[in-house]
Amino acid sequence: MSEAARFTLITGPMFSGKTTTLIRLLQEAQHTGKIIVVFKPKKDTRYALDAIVSHNAVQLKAISIPNAQAIFRYISQNPAQVVGIDEAQFFDAELPNVCAQLRKNGVHIIAAGLNKDYKAQPFGTIPQLITLADNHTELLAICAQCGAKAAYTYRKTSQKATFLLGEKESYEARCKACFKKH
Ligand code: ADP
Ligand code: MG
Ligand code: ZN
């Protein structure tokens, strides 16, 4: 990771490889001798509580925390050169401030999150994180309907709450045309 890219952000729909990419970048940092610490929001209870896990079952040890400020508190008390954050869209409004402050203190940040919710609306603080990031990669999945590149997450159930934890039974990746069809 270059000095210029101290805050790397990975976004995209579900199944686009965000967690896989996050894990790869964190492991690369680890291999160069950096101390890495990985966080995930406590409310994401899918899979393990103490790891981030990709849909293809790759995983990395992580700490579940209740809010963004807890990242800052943990890093003030423990050594870390690179901080990983998965499911960044689920954190509160403090996350951009926390990332900016950590970067100022010389910590590298690699975060991943959904850029759009199931209504195709901006998800949490991701728009602010995109503005803040030194490097932003938007990943695409494969449309579950037609096989085209997919930038949208389609909810297959009729639940209306924005926060609905789920997997393939509840969500699929879709291209714009298939997303609009419903
Ligand atoms: P994300 O964190 O973005 O949800 P993951 O990194 O956990 O994604 O998982 C990506 C993996 O999911 C892919 O490598 C692939 O094996 C699998 N996958 C399942 N459905 C799809 C899809 N529709 N498009 C792309 N990958 C998919
Ligand atoms: Mg993921
Ligand atoms: Zn499609």
Side-chain angles (χ1 to χ4, degrees):
M1 205 185 315
S2 74
E3 281 306 307
R6 288 176 305 163
F7 178 17
T8 297
L9 181 67
I10 305 151
T11 69
M14 277 182 80
F15 310 108
S16 61
K18 299 183 298 300
T19 302
T20 307
T21 306
L22 176 64
I23 291 172
R24 185 174 56 76
L25 293 175
L26 289 167
Q27 285 177 336
E28 271 175 25
Q30 215 167 22
H31 288 142
T32 67
K34 298 257 167 66
I35 302 171
I36 69 155
V37 183
V38 191
F39 297 97
K40 58 183 273 186
K42 207 162 218 161
K43 64 192 208 181
D44 180 12
T45 52
R46 292 169 299 181
Y47 309 111
L49 268 178
D50 60 350
I52 56 173
V53 184
S54 75
H55 298 297
N56 39 21
V58 180
Q59 55 176 293
L60 190 64
K61 200 166 171 290
I63 303 165
S64 285
I65 44 160
N67 54 48
Q69 201 59 43
I71 299 177
F72 194 76
R73 226 175 303 120
Y74 185 95
I75 298 303
S76 318
Q77 294 160 5
N78 297 274
Q81 289 162 303
V82 181
V83 164
I85 306 169
D86 202 8
E87 305 290 355
Q89 77 283 351
F90 286 154
F91 280 105
D92 55 280
E94 277 304 302
L95 187 61
N97 288 335
V98 167
C99 290
Q101 193 60 47
L102 287 175
R103 176 171 61 180
K104 214 168 154 192
N105 295 353
V107 176
H108 288 203
I109 303 142
I110 312 174
L114 286 163
N115 48 354
K116 299 177 181 72
D117 67 15
Y118 78 101
K119 290 177 178 165
Q121 296 303 304
F123 211 149
T125 64
I126 298 293
Q128 288 152 266
L129 295 182
I130 289 171
T131 308
L132 201 64
D134 298 305
N135 182 291
H136 171 215
T137 303
E138 186 179 350
L139 300 175
L140 298 170
I142 301 299
C143 176
Q145 300 290 312
C146 77
K149 297 280 185 192
Y152 296 83
T153 304
Y154 179 80
R155 184 182 283 180
K156 302 199 278 185
T157 69
S158 56
Q159 284 237 32
K160 290 286 175 281
T162 303
F163 184 73
L164 169 67
L165 285 177
E167 264 294 319
K168 286 198 167 164
E169 79 289 351
S170 317
Y171 296 102
E172 66 186 27
R174 287 198 178 187
C175 71
K176 194 168 195 170
C178 294
F179 181 79
K180 283 182 172 168
K181 262 189 246 158
H182 293 274

